[in-house]
Amino acid sequence: MERHSAWDKIKDKKIVFRFCDEYIKYLDNSKTERLCTSYSRRLAEAAGFKDFDSVTQLKAGMKVYKINRGKNIVLAVIGKDKTETGFNLVAAHIDSPRLDLKQIPLYEDSNMALFKTHYYGGIKKYQWTAIPLSLIGVAVLQDGTVIDVNIGENETDPVFTVTDLLPHLAADQMDKKMRSVFTGEDLNVLAGSIPADCEKDKYKQTIIDILKEKYQIDEEDFISAEFELVPNFNARSLGLDSSMVAAYGQDDRVCAFTALKAIMETEKPQKTSICYLADKEEIGSMGNTGMQSRFFENFVAHLIEKQCKNYSDIMLRDALSNSMCLSSDVTCALDPNYKSVSEPLNSAYLGEGVAFAKFTGARGKSGTSDANAEFVAKIRKILNDANVAWQMSELGKVDQGGGGTVAQYVANLDIDTIDCGVPLLSMHAPYEVASKVDVYMAYKAYKAFYAAE
Ligand code: MN
Ligand code: MN
């Protein structure tokens, strides 16, 4: 198989750079699944999408969105064909690895106030120490009032950090195995160091006082809160040629953004187009905001019901069976510093376009949906006809490790599904790297897929 740089297909590089300027803005506004959901809604509304619940009758060409519990959004453009004949779905996820505050987080030790955390998703713990973190999330009061908190993203805000040991005293630490250098319980976040004027828990009390004054939050409100610590630094162009994007959370907001852009530009498609931006992929897609939730099926049921007067369950079943899906999630680009974990013939390469994977999984393809050859052929044709730069890939060497995506849960609904997405370097690190041309090619692929009949 000959390999080609995707840049060779680009006549005017400015188009790619401009596209990625928008992508960078999207990342900076989407550091949590909640922020990503509300920013995606803003963009969708500006592109003419209406709240699904406010529409009673759907007709071809109409654009709608529905939000699930503030953390997951689905968008659709109604096709000329009935939805029962199948829809074209792109599914990506908008949750990323991070540190979550525990439900009882606040304590003090050695003249400092600290927050206990429980990490979310697969992280290398040492990467999350000694970097600036923003605290973003919501506290929900007993009366249902939702208090938005965002500390760190504004330039004048303070930030947070998890401390690390100085090299001068790290003799014991340096001898440890990487896995055991930091335990989960070591990832405590520094939150303050001024004592309050009281007898007990002086340092903790200062933090409680500030939270009360600025946010009307009491200590007990942490119980019904979702606070996430995410990297404070913003997305930037990377390299002398500015050919790459370095940022937190590109897994998988790079596929979310490209899928969203593609559906926003889809007008009167033959098949109904759906873009699903899921939560909870990084921890197994469980729960009612993850891809395993019935929320998706319920949405499709209502989509059909709002187009006809005689809705029946068999119409939903037919719609699912006749559909196809791109499970769009990032993959590993071959890293010149860590070549030994990848098999060169079947690796994704940075700058060679959007990467497809027939299967994911680990140890003998365990835990994968494995796209059918007939479906892979169909997708190949769609991509080649649209002049998209794409590559076929596998995540690392056999038995080196592995991973999964939402693909298997979509495929279980009897939908033809294949994995695809943008290859990344430093995946799951606080600072991930993508090639701008791959980002652009993912968008081109999704646009072609939505237009397919
Ligand atoms: Mn992912
Ligand atoms: Mn991931």
Side-chain angles (χ1 to χ4, degrees):
M1 288 284 289
E2 257 184 77
R3 298 196 155 270
H4 298 282
S5 168
W7 289 106
D8 293 345
K9 284 192 189 279
I10 302 292
K11 287 199 189 78
D12 183 1
K13 291 188 180 65
K14 277 196 211 91
I15 295 171
V16 174
F17 287 139
R18 265 202 300 271
F19 184 81
C20 285
D21 287 344
E22 265 186 80
Y23 169 49
I24 283 172
K25 199 171 161 201
Y26 184 82
L27 288 170
D28 291 346
N29 283 284
S30 302
K31 286 190 182 177
T32 68
E33 64 280 19
R34 284 179 189 268
L35 289 182
C36 190
T37 296
S38 57
Y39 192 66
S40 299
R41 165 203 255 170
R42 258 172 61 196
L43 296 181
E45 282 179 345
F49 283 72
K50 300 262 178 297
D51 187 338
F52 187 62
D53 296 330
S54 72
V55 178
T56 46
Q57 219 191 346
L58 287 172
K59 292 202 174 75
M62 283 176 78
K63 299 179 167 193
V64 288
Y65 72 84
K66 187 173 170 72
I67 287 177
N68 181 11
R69 297 167 170 88
K71 301 186 204 177
N72 154 218
I73 181 169
V74 55
L75 306 99
V77 182
I78 308 304
K80 290 177 201 146
D81 292 352
K82 286 185 175 147
T83 300
E84 302 94 279
T85 65
F87 50 81
N88 296 350
L89 165 68
V90 180
H93 70 91
I94 54 174
D95 60 315
S96 296
R98 59 185 192 245
L99 305 179
D100 284 345
L101 286 201
K102 290 193 182 196
Q103 292 335 111
I104 304 174
L106 189 57
Y107 72 104
E108 66 172 60
D109 194 347
S110 318
N111 302 348
M112 284 168 269
L114 298 108
F115 288 129
K116 301 254 2 139
T117 68
H118 195 138
Y119 67 94
Y120 174 98
I123 62 166
K124 290 161 90 175
K125 297 187 187 83
Y126 73 88
Q127 293 180 333
W128 293 77
T129 66
I131 59 167
L133 299 165
S134 296
L135 182 70
I136 305 177
V138 296
V140 184
L141 309 186
Q142 286 192 79
D143 66 2
T145 308
V146 179
I147 309 224
D148 279 302
V149 173
N150 186 331
I151 308 169
E153 291 298 289
N154 199 313
E155 251 178 60
T156 55
D157 287 349
V159 294
F160 301 86
T161 198
V162 178
T163 55
D164 193 4
L165 194 54
L166 62 168
H168 317 65
L169 299 178
D172 291 346
Q173 187 193 41
M174 296 299 236
D175 284 339
K176 284 186 184 169
K177 277 198 166 165
M178 200 122 110
R179 196 182 289 278
S180 55
V181 175
F182 298 94
T183 67
E185 294 294 349
D186 290 336
L187 296 174
N188 303 314
V189 173
L190 193 49
S193 62
I194 297 177
D197 187 15
C198 61
E199 285 300 303
K200 230 178 112 233
D201 292 340
K202 297 174 185 175
Y203 295 93
K204 193 178 141 182
Q205 190 58 47
T206 302
I207 303 303
I208 293 172
D209 292 344
I210 292 170
L211 287 171
K212 185 73 192 168
E213 191 195 316
K214 282 197 170 164
Y215 303 99
Q216 294 78 52
I217 296 172
D218 288 318
E219 194 181 1
E220 198 189 286
D221 295 325
F222 279 108
I223 299 275
S224 50
E226 290 174 354
F227 287 133
E228 304 176 12
L229 286 145
V230 296
N232 170 259
F233 31 74
N234 278 347
R236 299 289 293 265
S237 289
L238 181 79
L240 268 179
D241 55 5
S242 294
S243 60
M244 296 164 277
V245 174
Y248 164 67
Q250 299 199 71
D251 176 5
D252 184 32
R253 293 173 196 131
V254 65
C255 296
F257 174 73
T258 45
L260 180 67
K261 279 291 281 183
I263 199 164
M264 288 195 311
E265 292 173 8
T266 296
E267 303 290 340
K268 297 199 176 77
Q270 197 67 35
K271 295 279 177 195
T272 294
S273 307
I274 303 181
C275 170
Y276 195 82
L277 305 184
D279 179 28
K280 296 288 181 280
E281 192 278 341
E282 295 295 356
I283 56 168
S285 298
M286 282 83 165
N288 56 17
T289 58
M291 194 73 237
Q292 295 197 61
S293 165
R294 272 283 172 89
F295 176 79
F296 176 67
E297 263 181 275
N298 293 345
F299 173 76
V300 177
H302 282 291
L303 206 60
I304 299 167
E305 178 256 332
K306 288 184 189 214
Q307 289 174 71
C308 67
K309 289 197 177 72
N310 54 341
Y311 174 82
S312 71
D313 187 59
I314 202 73
M315 294 163 105
L316 169 63
R317 302 296 133 208
D318 284 346
L320 296 171
S321 303
N322 293 328
S323 292
M324 51 182 190
C325 169
L326 297 183
S327 163
S328 51
D329 203 344
V330 298
T331 188
C332 163
L334 185 130
D335 188 329
N337 289 328
Y338 304 99
K339 271 185 171 169
S340 66
V341 301
S342 293
E343 187 267 287
L345 203 57
N346 287 279
S347 271
Y349 287 78
L350 200 83
E352 289 192 5
V354 57
F356 282 72
K358 189 173 176 299
F359 52 85
T360 59
R363 299 172 309 281
K365 301 191 179 181
S366 257
T368 183
S369 68
D370 203 352
N372 299 302
E374 292 83 349
F375 181 56
V376 181
K378 190 171 176 179
I379 295 297
R380 256 175 74 199
K381 180 162 173 28
I382 293 171
L383 298 169
N384 287 337
D385 286 352
N387 198 28
V388 174
W390 64 278
Q391 46 186 327
M392 186 47 90
S393 67
E394 246 185 81
L395 184 81
K397 277 184 178 165
V398 178
D399 287 341
Q400 182 68 44
T405 64
V406 301
Q408 55 180 312
Y409 308 114
V410 180
N412 286 349
L413 295 170
D414 196 19
I415 297 176
D416 268 316
T417 306
I418 186 167
D419 275 294
C420 70
V422 174
L424 292 188
L425 298 169
S426 304
M427 193 202 291
H428 280 209
Y431 214 44
E432 302 172 316
V433 174
S435 156
K436 286 184 180 175
V437 77
D438 296 339
V439 177
Y440 183 72
M441 285 299 171
Y443 151 77
K444 284 231 334 175
Y446 303 150
K447 265 195 95 162
F449 176 73
Y450 280 136
E453 294 175 14

